[in-house]
Amino acid sequence: MSVSATQPGATPFSELTRMPDARGHFGPYGGRFVSETLSFALEDLEQTYASLRNDPAFQAEFDRDLAHYVGRPSPLYHAERWSNALGGAQIWLKREDLNHTGAHKINNTIGQALLAKKSGKPRVIAETGAGQHGVASATVAARLGLECDVYMGATDVERQKLNVYRMRLLGARVIPVESGTKTLKDAMNEALRDWVTNVDNTFYIIGTVAGPHPYPLLVRDFNAVVGREARRQSLDQIGRLPDALIACVGGGSNALGLFYPFVEDEGVTMYGVEAGGDGVATGRHAAPLSSGAPRGVLHGNRTYLMSDEAGQVADTHSVSAGLDYPGVGPEHALWKDVGRVHYVAANDDAVLDAFRELTHMEGIMPALESAHALAHAKVLAPTMRPDQHIVVNLSGRGDKDIMTVAKLDGIEF
Ligand SMILES: *Cc1c(COP(=O)(O)O)cnc(C)c1O
């Protein structure tokens, strides 16, 4: 199931901005490994998106929604007290936590909802892990008056009751998935199965830069507003580009959103932080890139994929449900091979420390997913000078995680 890795450095960074190729390949990754029925639906979507991608009217509609509904641009905040305490580089937070619904995910769901509207389909479906993408999808469906069904692993339904109720209040139906490990990957399998059957009246809103072509492309494009803003804000507020960018990586959409507009800026070093769980050496993690997992096909694309000895997709572990995914977007797989992004892992312990530290020192409570990026900032900043600058993507707010942290503190409500 493995393919040979691209020679490191063989692809110039400037080439990366032209990816994927016409067949949806990012070097040896990506593609469209699906049944014939879905293949037709995906070709349709590809054509619709190709006609709208550079259409000024579509872009204007997207920009207006991002401004009036999401509340963009999100601020670039100088975490001065925390930077001083760490005693190194200046840390700047890209405040995606301040978006409507509390994370970067709304950027993509707004974009895909516009595509759903253009397609004239009255029903949308989505997969969700922690429930954040489900909530974002239910939100845009409510706004457009679309029927919305959200697939969610039965284990996650139990763990994330508040988000389940939130989706129901928004008018969505939440369908618990009882197969496999009853988590995100199983939810995505079921959503793909639903789509095959109902492709005539249903638009599938995928929540990250994974899935079959053209999803990794369009989800990246819709999130790239994060990096475009951060680049402009850095020039305005710092007076130059930052020295480093850091973002957490589950499927990889908030990271690609931040990184993509900087891909040709070779002076900007980039770090993608995966979920180290109990530690990569224990096998209990969700870090396919930094653990050097084998490559295989999952959910219609080829990528790095955590698998067991029998070649089955492996169980994953992380304190944050939103990073608990055994694969990773195919574009990240290529960026790892060519060395454009450094992929590292942060363990649960370090993540909780970072969560508490930012909350105490800046009055900002990050999502546990985002706290992975903060944990690496704690490692990196002290190795740099005070006149250097790091931009960290604060992908979401931590309200949804208060119960998880309370439980670890031994507090019952
Ligand atoms: C879902 C989620 C993530 C992980 O998804 P990516 O596609 O890797 O960005 C990260 N942060 C938050 C706040 C999330 O809700």
Side-chain angles (χ1 to χ4, degrees), residues 14 16 111 113 132 142 177 242 275 280 293 338 349 369 378 410:
S14 59
L16 296 176
Q132 293 304 103
V177 174
V280 167
V338 302
D349 287 350
E369 290 85 0
K378 280 186 66 169

Side-chain angles (χ1 to χ4, degrees), residues 103-105 132 207-208 248-255 322-323 367 369-370 395-396:
H104 70 286
K105 291 221 168 68
Q132 293 304 103
T208 190
C248 67
V249 177
S253 66
N254 87 87
L323 300 184
E369 290 85 0
S370 323
S395 54

Side-chain angles (χ1 to χ4, degrees), residues 330-345:
E331 189 162 9
H332 283 290
L334 179 62
W335 286 24
K336 173 187 161 77
D337 287 1
V338 302
R340 181 64 189 95
V341 180
H342 304 281
Y343 293 92
V344 297

Side-chain angles (χ1 to χ4, degrees), residues 1 16 21 38 45 49 52 63 114 123 167 173 179 187-188 195 214 228 234 236 260 273 277 282 290 299 312 336 345:
M1 67 192 256
L16 296 176
D21 69 12
L38 280 194
L45 177 60
Y49 185 57
L52 294 171
D63 289 346
L114 288 179
R123 175 177 181 256
M167 287 183 261
R173 197 156 62 109
S179 56
M188 196 153 171
W195 202 35
R228 279 196 303 274
S234 298
D236 282 354
Y260 188 70
V273 188
T282 67
S290 45
H299 300 141
Q312 296 295 313
K336 173 187 161 77

Side-chain angles (χ1 to χ4, degrees), residues 392-413:
V392 180
N393 200 1
L394 199 73
S395 54
R397 66 182 182 221
D399 307 49
K400 70 182 175 57
D401 296 314
I402 291 176
M403 287 305 199
T404 304
V405 176
K407 207 177 252 170
L408 293 168
D409 278 342
I411 296 168
E412 295 285 340
F413 286 94

Side-chain angles (χ1 to χ4, degrees), residues 82 93-98 102-103 132 248 319-320 350-375 378 392-405:
W82 196 43
L93 305 176
K94 182 59 176 159
R95 298 289 308 273
E96 293 301 292
D97 60 313
L98 294 178
Q132 293 304 103
C248 67
V319 69
S320 71
V351 168
L352 286 160
D353 277 355
F355 171 92
R356 289 179 207 278
E357 210 166 289
L358 194 77
T359 305
H360 267 228
M361 301 208 63
E362 296 288 350
I364 296 172
M365 192 180 294
L368 286 174
E369 290 85 0
S370 323
H372 285 72
L374 298 167
K378 280 186 66 169
V392 180
N393 200 1
L394 199 73
S395 54
R397 66 182 182 221
D399 307 49
K400 70 182 175 57
D401 296 314
I402 291 176
M403 287 305 199
T404 304
V405 176

